[in-house]
Amino acid sequence: MKKGKLVFILLFLSIKQTLLLAQPEPQKSATIHLYQGKVFGLFSAKYRIYANGKLLCKLGRNSHCQIVLPAGQTTFTTKPPFLALTSQPALSLNLEAGKEYYLQGDAKFELFPPNGPLVLTEVVPNPNKLDQINHSKTERSLLTSVE
């Protein structure tokens, strides 16, 4: 009788362990949609977009890029293609696992347009904004790892 109970307990524990291993791992990353709208003017600069110092992509006018980053505090910065004369603004977000974020870059032209800052702001993904993103050029991700 004791052998039957022991076999039953071992069988129960092995099934329980198998079910625990089969559970999907919780998502630990967030999806970031970066977008720069149509900018009118003579210059069309491709800005480099960084997250915590790692290059994500290069955004030109009317383009977008999608990136998956680890959840947690992240600081986004931009750099123009040429030497910047002013400090570049930063956007800090606490990325939550499983969420999607939409960041729009707006070029603020100053004295030298190709060197002006690209200011990132978080936007609400309304139908009009999603349509603009879907009709813009897709830029490839330059991120090599998501540590």
Side-chain angles (χ1 to χ4, degrees):
M1 188 72 165
K2 288 187 177 190
K3 285 185 178 182
K5 284 184 180 180
L6 182 61
V7 169
F8 177 75
I9 289 173
L10 289 175
L11 181 63
F12 175 75
L13 289 175
S14 66
I15 290 173
K16 182 178 177 184
Q17 184 67 22
T18 303
L19 290 175
L20 285 175
L21 292 175
Q23 297 283 330
E25 188 175 319
Q27 194 171 11
K28 297 178 182 176
S29 58
T31 303
I32 313 301
H33 301 272
L34 298 159
Y35 168 72
Q36 181 181 355
K38 293 180 180 178
V39 179
F40 300 102
L42 299 175
F43 299 101
S44 177
K46 275 199 166 188
Y47 288 86
R48 296 180 305 263
I49 313 295
Y50 295 85
N52 295 336
K54 291 189 178 200
L55 181 62
L56 301 178
C57 64
K58 294 180 182 179
L59 280 184
R61 67 170 79 162
N62 197 30
S63 66
H64 74 276
C65 182
Q66 180 177 319
I67 305 288
V68 176
L69 294 174
Q73 190 67 31
T74 305
T75 301
F76 296 92
T77 55
T78 64
K79 289 185 182 175
F82 307 109
L83 178 64
L85 301 175
T86 60
S87 64
Q88 300 300 306
L91 173 66
S92 291
L93 294 174
N94 188 16
L95 303 178
E96 295 179 28
K99 284 187 72 176
E100 292 192 37
Y101 296 85
Y102 291 82
L103 305 181
Q104 179 172 320
D106 294 306
K108 303 295 183 190
F109 292 136
E110 294 177 348
L111 183 58
F112 300 104
N115 294 337
L118 182 73
V119 179
L120 293 174
T121 54
E122 186 177 5
V123 295
V124 177
N126 61 49
N128 185 30
K129 186 60 62 186
L130 291 174
D131 188 51
Q132 288 176 6
I133 292 171
N134 290 332
H135 286 92
S136 65
K137 178 183 174 189
T138 302
E139 299 288 348
R140 67 181 176 90
S141 168
L142 300 174
L143 187 64
T144 54
S145 67
V146 288
E147 299 166 353

Coordinates of all heavy atoms in Angstrom, one line a residue, residues 58-108:
K58 N 18.2 55.3 -37.4 CA 18.3 56.6 -37.9 C 17.0 57.0 -38.6 O 16.5 56.3 -39.4 CB 19.4 56.7 -39.0 CG 20.8 56.5 -38.4 CD 21.9 56.5 -39.4 CE 23.2 56.2 -38.8 NZ 24.3 56.3 -39.9
L59 N 16.4 58.1 -38.1 CA 15.1 58.6 -38.7 C 15.3 59.8 -39.5 O 15.8 60.8 -39.1 CB 14.2 58.9 -37.5 CG 13.5 57.8 -36.8 CD1 12.5 58.4 -35.7 CD2 12.7 56.9 -37.7
G60 N 14.8 59.7 -40.7 CA 14.7 60.9 -41.6 C 13.2 61.4 -41.6 O 12.4 60.8 -40.9
R61 N 13.0 62.4 -42.4 CA 11.6 62.9 -42.5 C 10.7 61.8 -43.0 O 11.1 61.0 -43.9 CB 11.5 64.2 -43.3 CG 11.8 64.0 -44.7 CD 11.5 65.3 -45.5 NE 12.5 66.3 -45.3 CZ 12.7 67.3 -46.1 NH1 11.9 67.5 -47.1 NH2 13.6 68.2 -45.9
N62 N 9.5 61.7 -42.5 CA 8.4 60.8 -42.9 C 8.9 59.4 -42.8 O 8.8 58.6 -43.8 CB 7.9 61.1 -44.3 CG 6.5 60.5 -44.5 OD1 5.8 60.2 -43.6 ND2 6.2 60.1 -45.8
S63 N 9.5 59.0 -41.7 CA 9.9 57.6 -41.5 C 9.6 57.1 -40.1 O 9.4 57.9 -39.2 CB 11.4 57.5 -41.8 OG 12.2 58.2 -40.9
H64 N 9.7 55.8 -39.9 CA 9.4 55.2 -38.6 C 10.3 54.0 -38.4 O 10.8 53.4 -39.4 CB 7.9 54.8 -38.4 CG 7.5 53.6 -39.2 ND1 7.1 53.7 -40.6 CD2 7.4 52.3 -38.9 CE1 6.8 52.5 -41.0 NE2 7.0 51.6 -40.0
C65 N 10.4 53.5 -37.2 CA 11.2 52.4 -36.8 C 10.6 51.7 -35.6 O 10.1 52.5 -34.7 CB 12.6 52.8 -36.5 SG 13.8 51.5 -36.1
Q66 N 10.6 50.4 -35.5 CA 10.0 49.7 -34.4 C 11.1 48.9 -33.7 O 11.9 48.3 -34.3 CB 8.9 48.7 -34.8 CG 8.3 47.9 -33.7 CD 7.2 47.0 -34.2 OE1 6.4 47.4 -35.0 NE2 7.2 45.8 -33.6
I67 N 11.2 49.1 -32.4 CA 12.3 48.5 -31.6 C 11.6 47.8 -30.4 O 10.7 48.3 -29.8 CB 13.2 49.6 -31.0 CG1 13.8 50.5 -32.2 CG2 14.3 49.0 -30.2 CD1 14.8 49.8 -33.1
V68 N 12.2 46.7 -30.0 CA 11.8 46.0 -28.7 C 13.0 46.2 -27.7 O 14.1 45.9 -28.0 CB 11.6 44.5 -29.0 CG1 11.3 43.8 -27.7 CG2 10.4 44.3 -30.0
L69 N 12.6 46.8 -26.6 CA 13.6 47.1 -25.5 C 13.2 46.4 -24.2 O 12.0 46.2 -24.0 CB 13.7 48.6 -25.3 CG 14.3 49.4 -26.4 CD1 14.2 50.9 -26.1 CD2 15.7 49.0 -26.7
P70 N 14.2 46.1 -23.3 CA 13.8 45.6 -22.0 C 13.0 46.6 -21.2 O 13.2 47.8 -21.3 CB 15.2 45.3 -21.4 CG 16.2 45.5 -22.4 CD 15.6 46.3 -23.6
A71 N 12.2 46.0 -20.4 CA 11.4 46.9 -19.5 C 12.3 47.6 -18.5 O 13.4 47.1 -18.2 CB 10.3 46.1 -18.7
G72 N 11.9 48.7 -18.0 CA 12.7 49.5 -17.0 C 12.9 50.9 -17.5 O 12.5 51.4 -18.5
Q73 N 13.7 51.7 -16.6 CA 13.9 53.1 -16.9 C 14.8 53.2 -18.1 O 15.9 52.6 -18.2 CB 14.6 53.7 -15.7 CG 14.7 55.2 -15.8 CD 13.4 55.9 -15.8 OE1 12.4 55.5 -15.1 NE2 13.3 57.0 -16.4
T74 N 14.4 54.0 -19.1 CA 15.1 54.1 -20.4 C 15.2 55.6 -20.7 O 14.1 56.3 -20.7 CB 14.5 53.3 -21.5 OG1 14.3 52.0 -21.1 CG2 15.3 53.4 -22.8
T75 N 16.3 56.1 -21.1 CA 16.5 57.5 -21.6 C 16.8 57.5 -23.1 O 17.7 56.9 -23.5 CB 17.6 58.2 -20.8 OG1 17.3 58.1 -19.4 CG2 17.8 59.6 -21.2
F76 N 15.9 58.2 -23.8 CA 16.0 58.3 -25.2 C 16.7 59.7 -25.5 O 16.3 60.7 -25.0 CB 14.7 58.3 -25.9 CG 14.0 56.9 -25.8 CD1 13.1 56.7 -24.7 CD2 14.2 55.9 -26.7 CE1 12.5 55.5 -24.6 CE2 13.6 54.7 -26.5 CZ 12.7 54.5 -25.5
T77 N 17.7 59.6 -26.4 CA 18.3 60.9 -26.9 C 18.5 60.8 -28.4 O 18.3 59.8 -29.0 CB 19.7 61.0 -26.3 OG1 20.5 59.8 -26.5 CG2 19.7 61.2 -24.8
T78 N 18.7 62.0 -29.0 CA 18.9 62.1 -30.4 C 20.1 62.9 -30.8 O 20.6 63.7 -29.9 CB 17.7 62.8 -31.1 OG1 17.6 64.1 -30.6 CG2 16.4 62.1 -30.8
K79 N 20.7 62.6 -31.9 CA 21.8 63.4 -32.4 C 21.6 63.7 -33.9 O 21.2 62.8 -34.6 CB 23.1 62.6 -32.2 CG 23.6 62.4 -30.8 CD 24.9 61.7 -30.7 CE 25.3 61.6 -29.3 NZ 26.6 60.8 -29.1
P80 N 21.9 64.9 -34.3 CA 21.8 65.2 -35.7 C 23.0 64.6 -36.5 O 23.9 64.2 -35.9 CB 21.9 66.8 -35.7 CG 22.6 67.1 -34.5 CD 22.3 66.0 -33.5
P81 N 22.9 64.6 -37.8 CA 23.9 63.9 -38.6 C 25.2 64.7 -38.6 O 26.3 64.2 -38.9 CB 23.4 63.9 -40.0 CG 22.3 64.9 -40.0 CD 21.8 65.0 -38.6
F82 N 25.2 66.0 -38.2 CA 26.4 66.8 -38.2 C 26.7 67.3 -36.7 O 25.9 67.0 -35.8 CB 26.2 68.0 -39.1 CG 25.8 67.7 -40.5 CD1 24.5 67.9 -40.9 CD2 26.7 67.0 -41.3 CE1 24.1 67.6 -42.2 CE2 26.3 66.7 -42.6 CZ 25.0 66.9 -43.0
L83 N 27.7 68.0 -36.5 CA 28.1 68.5 -35.2 C 27.0 69.3 -34.6 O 26.5 70.3 -35.3 CB 29.4 69.3 -35.3 CG 29.9 69.9 -34.0 CD1 30.2 68.8 -33.0 CD2 31.1 70.8 -34.3
A84 N 26.5 69.0 -33.4 CA 25.5 69.7 -32.8 C 26.1 70.9 -32.0 O 27.1 70.7 -31.3 CB 24.7 68.8 -31.9
L85 N 25.5 72.1 -32.1 CA 26.0 73.2 -31.4 C 25.3 73.4 -30.1 O 25.8 74.1 -29.2 CB 25.8 74.5 -32.3 CG 26.5 74.5 -33.7 CD1 26.1 75.7 -34.4 CD2 28.0 74.3 -33.5
T86 N 24.2 72.8 -29.9 CA 23.5 72.9 -28.6 C 23.3 71.5 -28.0 O 23.4 70.5 -28.7 CB 22.1 73.5 -28.9 OG1 21.3 72.7 -29.8 CG2 22.2 74.9 -29.4
S87 N 23.0 71.5 -26.8 CA 22.7 70.2 -26.1 C 21.4 69.6 -26.7 O 20.5 70.3 -27.0 CB 22.6 70.3 -24.6 OG 21.5 71.1 -24.3
Q88 N 21.4 68.3 -26.8 CA 20.2 67.6 -27.3 C 19.3 67.2 -26.2 O 19.7 66.7 -25.2 CB 20.7 66.3 -28.1 CG 21.6 66.7 -29.3 CD 21.0 67.6 -30.3 OE1 19.9 67.3 -30.8 NE2 21.6 68.7 -30.6
P89 N 18.0 67.4 -26.4 CA 17.0 67.0 -25.3 C 16.9 65.5 -25.2 O 17.2 64.7 -26.1 CB 15.7 67.6 -25.9 CG 15.9 67.7 -27.4 CD 17.4 67.9 -27.6
A90 N 16.5 65.1 -24.0 CA 16.4 63.7 -23.6 C 14.9 63.4 -23.2 O 14.3 64.3 -22.6 CB 17.4 63.3 -22.6
L91 N 14.5 62.2 -23.4 CA 13.2 61.8 -22.9 C 13.4 60.5 -22.1 O 13.9 59.5 -22.6 CB 12.2 61.5 -24.1 CG 10.9 60.9 -23.8 CD1 10.0 61.9 -22.9 CD2 10.1 60.5 -25.0
S92 N 13.0 60.6 -20.8 CA 13.1 59.4 -19.9 C 11.7 58.8 -19.7 O 10.8 59.5 -19.4 CB 13.7 59.8 -18.6 OG 15.1 60.1 -18.8
L93 N 11.6 57.4 -19.9 CA 10.4 56.7 -19.7 C 10.7 55.5 -18.9 O 11.7 54.9 -19.0 CB 9.8 56.3 -21.0 CG 9.3 57.4 -22.0 CD1 8.9 56.7 -23.3 CD2 8.1 58.1 -21.4
N94 N 9.7 55.1 -18.0 CA 9.8 53.8 -17.3 C 9.0 52.8 -18.2 O 7.8 52.8 -18.1 CB 9.3 53.9 -15.9 CG 9.5 52.7 -15.1 OD1 10.3 51.8 -15.5 ND2 8.8 52.5 -14.0
L95 N 9.7 52.0 -19.0 CA 9.0 51.1 -19.9 C 8.5 49.9 -19.1 O 9.2 49.3 -18.3 CB 10.0 50.6 -21.0 CG 10.7 51.7 -21.8 CD1 11.6 51.0 -22.8 CD2 9.6 52.5 -22.5
E96 N 7.2 49.6 -19.3 CA 6.5 48.5 -18.7 C 6.5 47.3 -19.6 O 6.2 47.5 -20.8 CB 5.1 48.9 -18.2 CG 5.1 50.0 -17.2 CD 3.7 50.4 -16.8 OE1 2.8 49.5 -16.9 OE2 3.5 51.5 -16.4
A97 N 6.7 46.1 -19.1 CA 6.7 44.9 -19.9 C 5.4 44.7 -20.6 O 4.3 44.9 -20.0 CB 7.0 43.7 -19.0
G98 N 5.4 44.4 -21.9 CA 4.2 44.1 -22.6 C 3.5 45.3 -23.2 O 2.6 45.2 -24.0
K99 N 3.9 46.5 -22.9 CA 3.3 47.7 -23.4 C 3.9 48.2 -24.7 O 5.1 47.9 -24.9 CB 3.3 48.8 -22.3 CG 2.3 48.7 -21.2 CD 2.2 49.8 -20.3 CE 1.6 51.0 -21.0 NZ 1.4 52.2 -20.1
E100 N 3.2 49.0 -25.4 CA 3.7 49.7 -26.6 C 3.8 51.2 -26.4 O 2.8 51.7 -25.8 CB 2.8 49.3 -27.8 CG 2.9 47.9 -28.2 CD 2.3 47.6 -29.6 OE1 2.4 48.5 -30.5 OE2 1.6 46.6 -29.7
Y101 N 4.8 51.8 -26.9 CA 5.0 53.2 -26.7 C 5.2 53.8 -28.1 O 5.9 53.2 -28.9 CB 6.2 53.5 -25.8 CG 6.1 53.0 -24.4 CD1 6.3 51.7 -24.1 CD2 5.6 53.9 -23.4 CE1 6.2 51.2 -22.8 CE2 5.4 53.4 -22.1 CZ 5.7 52.1 -21.8 OH 5.5 51.6 -20.5
Y102 N 4.7 55.0 -28.3 CA 4.8 55.7 -29.6 C 5.5 57.0 -29.3 O 5.0 57.9 -28.5 CB 3.4 56.0 -30.2 CG 2.7 54.7 -30.7 CD1 2.1 53.9 -29.8 CD2 2.8 54.3 -32.0 CE1 1.5 52.7 -30.2 CE2 2.2 53.1 -32.4 CZ 1.6 52.3 -31.5 OH 1.0 51.1 -32.0
L103 N 6.7 57.2 -29.9 CA 7.5 58.4 -29.7 C 7.6 59.1 -31.0 O 8.0 58.5 -32.0 CB 8.9 58.0 -29.2 CG 8.9 57.2 -27.9 CD1 10.4 57.0 -27.5 CD2 8.1 57.8 -26.8
Q104 N 7.2 60.4 -31.0 CA 7.3 61.2 -32.2 C 8.5 62.2 -32.1 O 8.6 62.8 -31.1 CB 6.0 62.0 -32.4 CG 6.1 62.8 -33.7 CD 4.7 63.4 -34.0 OE1 3.7 62.8 -33.9 NE2 4.7 64.7 -34.4
G105 N 9.3 62.3 -33.2 CA 10.4 63.2 -33.2 C 10.0 64.4 -34.0 O 9.5 64.3 -35.1
D106 N 10.2 65.6 -33.4 CA 9.9 66.8 -34.1 C 11.2 67.6 -34.2 O 11.8 67.9 -33.2 CB 8.8 67.6 -33.4 CG 7.5 66.9 -33.4 OD1 7.0 66.6 -34.5 OD2 6.9 66.7 -32.3
A107 N 11.6 68.0 -35.4 CA 12.8 68.7 -35.6 C 12.5 70.2 -35.3 O 11.6 70.8 -35.8 CB 13.3 68.6 -37.1
K108 N 13.4 70.7 -34.4 CA 13.3 72.1 -34.0 C 14.4 72.9 -34.7 O 15.5 72.9 -34.1 CB 13.3 72.3 -32.5 CG 12.2 71.5 -31.8 CD 10.9 72.0 -32.1 CE 9.8 71.2 -31.3 NZ 8.5 71.5 -31.8

